[in-house]
Amino acid sequence: MIHSHSSPSFSDQRPGTSGLRKKVKHFQQQHYLENFVQSVLNVVGPVKKMVLGGDGRYFNDTAIQIILRMAAANGVQEVIVGQSGILSTPAASCVIRKYQADGGFILSASHNPAGPDEDFGIKYNMGNGGPAPEKVTEAIYAATTNLEHYTLLEADDINLNNQGTVTLGDMQVQIIDAVADYAELMQSFFDFKAIGSLLKSDFRMKFDAMHAVTGPYAKVILEDILGAAKGTVMNAIPLSDFGGGHPDPNLTYAKELVDIMFNENAPDFGAASDGDGDRNMILGNNFFVNPSDSLAVIAANATCAPACADGLKGIARSMPTSAAVDRVAEKLGVECFETPTGWKFFGNLMDAGRVSLCGEESFGTGSDHVREKDGLWAVLFWLNILAVRQTSVQNIMMDHWKEYGRNYYSRHDYEAVDSQAATDLMTHLRAQFTSLVGQTLGRYTVAVCDDFSYTDPIDQSVSTGQGLRILFDDGSRIVFRLSGTGTQGATIRIYLESYEADASRCNQDAQDALSDLIDIAMQLSQLKERTGRTQPTVIT
Ligand code: VG1
Ligand code: CO
């Protein structure tokens, strides 16, 4: 029986950079999840066929059953669910596209910790497999603030542990293998024969799944299909609290892997992915590849992968991502786009056939094989390059800098700072913009200061307020942004970049090379005084 419930409507359901993220306890408030889901269905509907899955974090099971009952009450005819309710974000994108669904719900708070006292998240992806664009998320937000009722089918939970088709009211629920379609797509993209030979040679690799969703995907693809040694994938069993960890593949939170890779007897290649499987970190033997450089290396070596044998259509990067890839695009003679932060801004460019490779400095890389960034895909791309070039990760990076010069790059994150202090810091920076232009700070002269805004070249939609930029006349820059994915206080991100053309000066430590810019950023923002912080929480 279908029941209509009145909903109190909520004022805090505006999706951020990637969906709605809140503490689990917040999501557990009566009607909270339902209010959001009904608003989505009202805005994007009618949805006939949809995909549903999540990263397996705490509350995934409960949320899936609620969404299924709501889908059944809202005229959805078929839902494709990953077995046990699991789908990595890139796999969900793959499945939406493959089965030509109208869209899908992805349940994840990505790299944020999980558990009863931690984070949960939900987002809606469109029929192209990509995150809903800003105009849709804004319409959803408007709907959440004045929803009056939602409908739900009264029914028992359904068992999602076995593959097959079951019915819920008039709706079909197809439970699929969460890994198979994605693994097939990877096989069609890369040279599995070459990668397999590499992995079966004396080449050693470690992949850290961080007890999150990529465990089963990595085991099947790396160990079962490609023949990497058993145990190559560590922390492979997904846990609802990610083992108490912070599933963010960076030098701070992927410490276990970092310790293995920065060691005397380190393997040749190390990689990690995040909670929902869309991020990647690439490490060599005692060597870290900055994500912006990783994007540039993939672009420069793209033809190593059979799917890119004919070259790239074009490249896009988010604004804070370093311009290393721009140099590659220029050399290749392809278009290069600079978009705001968040994968939703790449969808139109990919759909229009303008770009085939996209990336963000936040450990996100992907292509038009799906419409999400894709962690394992990036790892396989590196393996494919290593298999073709038969040299080390470090050598590949050094060769790249020799050819293109190096964009020294770092991001400093100050997590969970007081929200008011963070807003005031941004206001303080903005207030200096006019007087800063033309000023010389140490060896840098300010050329432009602005608040980044973007006009989508395909549909002309405009996004403003995407980050404060201080651009120097030699191409160096400092960018300040407030995170749109955190759930506690505010996170201030400072992005620092400078360019070095001289190959003999490309081997410095990034923090040393950027130390003057770091000082300037501290002075201009008064960060220490305003937040009481003396050190970043995470340095990339
Ligand atoms: C962060 C990253 C951004 C990324 C987003 C979602 O956003 O900076 O590049 O697209 O997370 O990634 P923000 O607003 O906190 O800076 V995922 O893997 O969390 O969904
Ligand atoms: Co993620």
Side-chain angles (χ1 to χ4, degrees):
M1 206 165 71
I2 293 173
H3 267 265
S4 180
H5 298 257
S6 57
S7 179
S9 84
F10 294 86
S11 61
D12 65 349
Q13 295 194 332
R14 176 180 244 141
T17 313
S18 181
L20 180 68
R21 293 185 190 177
K22 301 280 176 200
K23 291 284 168 212
V24 165
K25 295 234 155 47
H26 206 87
F27 265 105
Q28 286 170 326
Q29 289 174 76
Q30 211 186 1
H31 311 302
Y32 193 83
L33 175 70
E34 293 85 344
N35 190 76
F36 187 78
V37 172
Q38 186 68 54
S39 301
V40 171
L41 293 172
N42 291 357
V43 168
V44 301
V47 176
K48 294 290 169 214
K49 188 179 193 175
M50 77 178 209
V51 170
L52 179 60
D55 62 15
R57 67 177 60 225
Y58 187 85
F59 200 58
N60 198 67
D61 293 348
T62 313
I64 284 206
Q65 298 293 343
I66 293 172
I67 297 169
L68 282 172
R69 291 208 292 275
M70 290 185 68
N74 277 276
V76 177
Q77 289 165 2
E78 185 183 355
V79 180
I80 301 169
V81 195
Q83 195 170 357
S84 306
I86 304 283
L87 282 174
S88 77
T89 293
S93 185
C94 157
V95 170
I96 292 172
R97 294 169 68 78
K98 178 166 177 176
Y99 297 95
Q100 296 179 337
D102 299 306
F105 283 99
I106 301 180
L107 309 178
S108 171
S110 187
H111 53 286
N112 300 11
D117 297 316
E118 297 295 350
D119 293 355
F120 187 74
I122 177 168
K123 68 173 179 168
Y124 188 79
N125 280 29
M126 312 296 281
N128 70 348
E134 222 176 35
K135 57 178 188 291
V136 177
T137 55
E138 283 300 299
I140 292 168
Y141 170 57
T144 61
T145 59
N146 57 26
L147 191 81
E148 282 170 4
H149 62 268
Y150 61 86
T151 54
L152 193 108
L153 180 81
E154 297 298 327
D156 291 335
D157 282 0
I158 56 175
N159 178 357
L160 299 173
N161 295 330
N162 305 314
Q163 290 169 37
T165 303
V166 291
T167 56
L168 185 62
D170 294 332
M171 185 177 84
Q172 297 233 318
V173 181
Q174 200 191 331
I175 304 159
I176 61 164
D177 181 327
V179 177
D181 295 309
Y182 178 81
E184 187 187 293
L185 181 62
M186 293 302 108
Q187 274 173 292
S188 72
F189 199 103
F190 297 109
D191 185 346
F192 267 45
K193 208 162 152 249
I195 301 173
S197 315
L198 177 74
L199 290 174
K200 281 177 247 160
S201 69
D202 56 3
F203 179 90
R204 287 186 304 135
M205 161 176 188
K206 272 281 175 200
F207 179 91
D208 190 353
M210 302 188 85
H211 285 304
V213 77
T214 26
Y217 294 85
K219 275 233 158 243
V220 168
I221 294 173
L222 297 173
E223 296 185 9
D224 300 350
I225 302 178
L226 288 164
K230 295 278 170 229
T232 295
V233 183
M234 54 194 263
N235 299 321
I237 298 171
L239 300 173
S240 69
D241 67 349
F242 301 141
H246 197 137
D248 199 351
N250 59 37
L251 294 171
T252 303
Y253 296 126
K255 190 169 181 307
E256 198 180 339
L257 176 71
V258 170
D259 287 347
I260 294 172
M261 296 305 298
F262 285 81
N263 205 309
E264 261 176 36
N265 190 27
D268 304 287
F269 184 64
S273 192
D274 71 332
D276 62 331
D278 55 0
R279 296 186 177 206
N280 71 92
M281 177 168 69
I282 303 293
L283 302 171
N285 181 329
N286 287 276
F287 193 80
F288 168 68
V289 181
N290 185 286
S292 293
D293 283 333
S294 171
L295 176 66
V297 166
I298 289 176
N301 295 276
T303 52
C304 290
C308 301
D310 295 336
L312 300 169
K313 290 174 188 154
I315 301 168
R317 64 162 171 87
S318 68
M319 179 275 283
T321 305
S322 96
V325 77
D326 302 30
R327 297 173 195 283
V328 180
E330 200 185 335
K331 181 151 191 192
L332 295 174
V334 298
E335 280 190 294
C336 187
F337 298 87
E338 185 178 38
T339 62
T341 297
W343 213 259
K344 58 181 172 238
F345 295 103
F346 294 135
N348 274 352
L349 293 167
M350 288 193 272
D351 287 349
R354 297 279 286 274
V355 303
S356 42
L357 179 69
C358 305
E360 295 193 278
E361 46 62 43
S362 54
F363 299 89
T365 332
S367 82
D368 56 1
H369 67 292
V370 290
R371 292 293 182 275
E372 287 280 4
K373 55 186 184 278
D374 190 342
L376 258 177
W377 171 90
V379 173
L380 290 166
F381 216 130
W382 266 91
L383 285 170
N384 205 149
I385 294 169
L386 290 165
V388 171
R389 292 196 43 188
Q390 296 286 324
T391 184
S392 70
V393 170
Q394 181 163 357
N395 282 342
I396 287 178
M397 201 65 252
M398 299 293 179
D399 287 350
H400 189 90
W401 290 333
K402 217 176 277 167
E403 186 170 354
Y404 294 93
R406 177 171 177 186
N407 287 68
Y408 278 104
Y409 186 83
S410 183
R411 184 176 106 181
H412 289 197
D413 295 328
Y414 292 82
E415 295 180 353
V417 303
D418 178 70
S419 297
Q420 191 58 48
T423 315
D424 292 349
L425 179 149
M426 297 296 273
T427 309
H428 170 70
L429 279 168
R430 226 178 267 114
Q432 298 170 72
F433 273 8
T434 329
S435 61
L436 267 179
V437 176
Q439 267 194 49
T440 300
L441 308 165
R443 61 191 162 107
Y444 298 100
T445 302
V446 181
V448 178
C449 292
D450 68 4
D451 195 343
F452 183 66
S453 70
Y454 175 71
T455 303
D456 185 297
I458 311 302
D459 68 12
Q460 312 305 322
S461 57
V462 177
S463 305
T464 56
Q466 298 294 328
L468 302 183
R469 305 194 295 178
I470 299 162
L471 310 174
F472 300 97
D473 64 359
D474 68 346
S476 304
R477 58 180 188 150
I478 303 173
V479 177
F480 290 83
R481 253 189 87 245
L482 296 185
S483 156
T485 56
T487 59
Q488 203 186 343
T491 292
I492 302 171
R493 303 200 196 286
I494 307 177
Y495 309 84
L496 306 136
E497 178 175 2
S498 75
Y499 178 64
E500 177 59 66
D502 180 352
S504 70
R505 293 166 55 89
C506 284
N507 294 325
Q508 290 174 69
D509 176 76
Q511 301 309 311
D512 293 341
L514 295 165
S515 62
D516 288 355
L517 284 178
I518 296 169
D519 290 345
I520 295 171
M522 289 298 113
Q523 277 163 29
L524 294 179
S525 64
Q526 299 174 341
L527 186 136
K528 289 180 184 165
E529 298 81 345
R530 289 172 178 277
T531 65
R533 299 292 177 85
T534 52
Q535 287 296 326
T537 321
V538 177
I539 293 180
T540 296

